[in-house]
Amino acid sequence: MSEQDGAGEAEEHRLPAKLAAHPSVRAVLAARPSGGRPGPPPEIDAAWLRALCLAAGADDAAAVSLDHPGLAGEREHVLAALPGTRSLVSLMVRMNRDNTRSAARSVANQEFHQTDEQVNAAARTVTRALEDAGHRALNPSAGFPQEMERFPGRIWVVAHKTVAVAAGLGVMGLHRNVIHPRFGNFVLLATVLVDAPVSAYGQELDYSPCVDCKLCVAACPVGAIGKDGSFDALACTTHNYREFMSGFTDWAQTVADSEDAADFRSRVTDPENASMWQSLAFKPSYKSGYCVAVCPAGEDVLGPYLDDRRAYLDTVLRPLQDKTETLYVLPGSAAQRYAERRFPHKPTKEVSGGWRAPGKQHPNPSDRH
């Protein structure tokens, strides 16, 4: 009897007889060179991994170790998603710039959604290839997280922007979007978790592609982006994500609070109802991705801004500023005051945003027992 056969028999003896006799079990054990358990996953070649990502549809990609200091806040969540994760692979897919800049929300939103589907598909393809190579790998959703039991807390599995910055694919801009040195902020991101080290990791950029133009500040209709680097996340969420999550809750509360159909229609306009229906029937509509639209950063993007800044403002920024549209704001908020002062031609509408006051939270059902 060979040493390999002996090892195989020894492994079979550790299994219940019925399980050890199963054809699939015998085939798996026989396929192992040593007849024993497989060793730790081998190191992944960085060049092979990058080529795989680009072939899958990514425009850029880089890996980063889970031990990177910038990912300390992600470690717990990553290991909960895929125990044994050693590396994260950041994938980036470009958006078409003029589609994203369009004042027609149907055009801009379609671009966001199409690119979101592409980066998800690329990440899934990479995950499948890693799995076929013998690794455990997982790709969380690029957008539209579904861990709603945590809402309004952390509803995402992994913070794609944080991973991309740590992997060296870009730097976070004033507008809280990752700016790639070549593609600018016209990108969407995905992340693949894998159980092995990579032979070479990306290095963080030693400069910011942001050119400090402050156009994102000028474009935001609710003043969420401050010149001093501050960011009003609640103002952004209340308006831009009006037809997502909490905005839908506010709309549903309006339905419930209305006395009858006439009262409801006095509170919500027909265009607003039609827009909410479209978001529910198709995909949610972003109200203003204007900070992304106007950003000139990135070597592939910067030329027209450098050549004629006035023309750039007239063709990219002004149409978004001049557009007549409803701005959704919390009552008495800084966003409301900013919108009414800076954009008097854009009507504001006070909404709750769907957020519950701390004292009005419903008790946890588990606390009733």
Side-chain angles (χ1 to χ4, degrees), residues 2 70 88 95 110 142 162 167 181 230 233 235 273 332 349 361:
S2 69
L88 298 92
M95 292 190 288
Q110 181 77 335
T162 302
S230 61
N273 278 318
K349 183 164 187 174
Q361 298 283 348

Side-chain angles (χ1 to χ4, degrees), residues 297-349:
E299 294 172 13
D300 284 0
V301 187
L302 192 54
Y305 178 75
L306 297 178
D307 294 339
D308 191 336
R309 281 176 288 175
R310 181 176 296 278
Y312 188 91
L313 297 181
D314 288 341
T315 58
V316 177
L317 175 64
R318 305 290 185 222
L320 302 176
Q321 290 181 321
D322 294 343
K323 181 180 178 180
T324 299
E325 59 187 328
T326 300
L327 306 179
Y328 296 92
V329 296
L330 297 176
S333 63
Q336 182 177 34
R337 293 189 295 273
Y338 178 90
E340 291 175 348
R341 173 178 56 82
R342 181 67 182 82
F343 298 104
H345 62 289
K346 296 178 185 277
T348 58
K349 183 164 187 174

Side-chain angles (χ1 to χ4, degrees), residues 174-176 212 214 216-217 223-232:
L174 187 67
H175 46 23
R176 303 312 192 268
D212 201 31
K214 302 291 195 301
C216 56
V217 177
I225 307 167
K227 291 182 180 180
D228 59 357
S230 61
F231 185 72
D232 187 342

Side-chain angles (χ1 to χ4, degrees), residues 139-192:
N139 62 295
S141 174
F144 301 97
Q146 297 179 7
E147 282 59 52
M148 290 304 175
E149 66 277 5
R150 306 173 190 168
F151 183 77
R154 179 183 171 120
I155 59 173
W156 53 91
V157 174
V158 62
H160 302 299
K161 295 180 182 180
T162 302
V163 175
V165 171
L169 290 187
V171 172
M172 200 80 78
L174 187 67
H175 46 23
R176 303 312 192 268
N177 298 306
V178 172
I179 305 177
H180 185 271
R182 179 182 169 190
F183 309 136
N185 78 162
F186 293 92
V187 295
L188 290 183
L189 304 165
T191 306
V192 174

Side-chain angles (χ1 to χ4, degrees), residues 6 20 34 48 72-73 86 101 105 117 185-186 203 294 309 359:
S34 65
W48 173 84
R86 300 282 298 280
R101 291 167 175 159
R105 300 313 300 151
E117 291 175 3
N185 78 162
F186 293 92
Q203 300 297 313
V294 301
R309 281 176 288 175

Side-chain angles (χ1 to χ4, degrees), residues 49-109:
L49 180 60
R50 177 173 169 77
L52 169 64
C53 293
L54 298 184
D59 290 296
D60 201 358
V64 60
S65 170
L66 182 58
D67 293 330
H68 188 287
L71 299 181
E74 293 299 305
R75 185 177 180 84
E76 173 188 356
H77 306 288
V78 167
L79 291 176
L82 184 72
T85 295
R86 300 282 298 280
S87 304
L88 298 92
V89 186
S90 181
L91 289 81
M92 176 176 285
V93 172
R94 288 181 293 164
M95 292 190 288
N96 293 324
R97 295 191 292 272
D98 284 314
N99 281 355
T100 309
R101 291 167 175 159
S102 176
R105 300 313 300 151
S106 59
V107 177
N109 276 297

